[in-house]
Amino acid sequence: MVLLVGLNTNRPAGQQSDLSRIKAWWRTLGGDRFAVLPPPTRGRYTQSDGHEDAAEMFATRGIDTDASFAYWHWQSHDAFARSGKLTGALYLHWGGDHATVAAGLGDGPPGYRIVDNGPRGAFQLDRVTAVDADGLPDPEDDAGVRQFLARVDEPRHRTARSSEYDPLTAAEERWLHDRLSGPVDLDAAVRFAAPLEHRRALTPDETARLLPAWREAYAGRLTAWRGWRSVLPALLRQEHPEVWEVAAELGAEAAYALAEHPSPRSLELLRAWALTGDDGAVRGWFRAHHALREPDPVRAAATLSEELTARTAPGTAQTGLLRALREAVTDEPDTRRSPADAFFPLLLATIRFATDDRLPRPLRVAAATAAADTAGRVREAAGRLPDAAEAADALTAVERYETARDDLLAGTGPDLTGYEGGLGDIYHRYRTLSPADVRWLRDRLADPSTEVQGIAFCLELLHAHGEAVEADLVALLPRWKKELTKQYRTTYTEWRHPLVTLTCLAQDLGHPAAEAMLAWWAKPKPLWKEPVRLLTHLGAPTEEKAAELWEFVVSGGHDTGHLMTWVLLRARIDGTHPLHVAEKLIGEPGIHPYTLEHVLIGVADPAQPLWHYAIDPRSHSWWHRAQEVADDERLSAEARAIGLKAAREHYVLRYPDQVRPALTEGELRAAHAWLEARAHLPTGS
């Protein structure tokens, strides 16, 4: 018996590609209160781009602004091969009313199915495939095989440190082993080895065949083959004689697998990698040391922390060690479905470690940093504990932490080398700069090891707050031609390219280096700089610069911060608040309303303008600015309505669990009370 998996059982006819069929169906969609955007180009790269395109299409076609819509963007478009073949589920994003979008999309085109992931997820479009009575696809059906592998390789439970999988049926396991039984095909083996080894089911015969093929085909670059993440754990589990040679060649990326199989050999390798500051290696080193040498997790962490300090390992190593310690003393909840209170033990442990005198100060500082945005959540959760003594103990821990926090955090700052979005999440902490903040930011600029992302973050904050001085410029001059002239994409950040900011600073200071920098900007190459060249006009602003920038703004060219630069520049020349400059542009011909709305909110605080290319609905910074614009009685009703509209659309009110750092219940109640008090007010269109 053959079963069809999907919502629509009509197979498409002819030789058209998947992309052609889906586009043809897409053109038939749309109607009352629902619209679809045309298929994407590279200009629609993110969901925010999609919402901006929708606003522009609505304005051009006269569609009501509260209509619902669907689209896919260029990242989703990767689901198609160059031939137009669908090689993965196509994610369809949307805006407006979820039920309206679901009805508008329907079941999908013939031969395909649509999966509705609910009001907080994207829709998925994929092929309809056939399976046999055991739920197994034909091995020659690429789409069916892909869907089967996605199903069996989806964990039933996942935390930051482990994943659990449902057991395979005998037929499923046999099917997977059969795929690995023929001539070794490393590209195919990646797909079939993973679900087997997730159940510790790769056989010695299979690893014995895969290992030499892998080492030969990927000699000198073993991590380039993704299948190593399945084969290495199997080699360790099977105590293969070549495993330590392979592990040493893989390097710190193999830390997780080695920590799962602690031994004196794995401990030796993990320690060497950990002392370089690698986060995964630090956590693996702790796990192996804890398992083999020190059963008390706090004493184990203290020992390793002291060695990291003595060996001058990077400061981020202490953060990795803290994470490992927390994992050892708490049961980590499922990262996908757990309620907020499930994280209470982990958050409370972090707060306790910040004041635990058994731990060295560097590790307590790491804990204090990690707890900076969680003390309020712990306090609220403690108040809900049924055991009064347990609640009082937790509250005492919070109070002890809050007493010690300022001393522990003085002269510290975030990891400047990590995920860029993580820096954006804590940007609101730097709305004002303390003397300790200024010293830390300047020290980072003077440190030759600070990379381009860190320079951009620190220099933007100092310059915007009026704290950047000649010493900061001089510290960076030896690096600007060799390092800062490289492309650094800032589309997703609240700060500008560091050379833009440095050029503005040099002009403001009247430093001789400004002439050389401006001459470099005036050259035609490299091409990356042209879209941001005019942003340097914010330095030492003049009427001539303002005129040139305005000419570009109204030309319809792609805005990468130009309107915001003009507003800030005009405000500096006129000696007025940039909000008053921005509000005068409402309704101005040639000014895109969508761009003006995010500029209006982004310049609410000229000491820390938000340079993100669109309003980030998960950001504390954008939420606070939207509130401030809505409540600023100096502004026109039209301007304040724009702020209120942005606030109403922010995730603080719609999807609070997606806001980072996470909100306390008190903050959430205050947000809803704020909105309810303004429910009678109109919002911008």
Side-chain angles (χ1 to χ4, degrees), residues 434-454:
S434 68
D437 289 332
V438 172
R439 286 193 299 272
W440 186 84
L441 292 166
R442 284 180 176 157
D443 287 346
R444 299 290 74 70
L445 290 181
D447 186 345
S449 68
T450 302
E451 299 174 359
V452 172
Q453 175 175 286

Side-chain angles (χ1 to χ4, degrees), residues 115-126:
V115 175
D116 182 350
N117 290 309
R120 297 189 181 185
F123 293 84
Q124 290 174 259
L125 187 151
D126 206 346

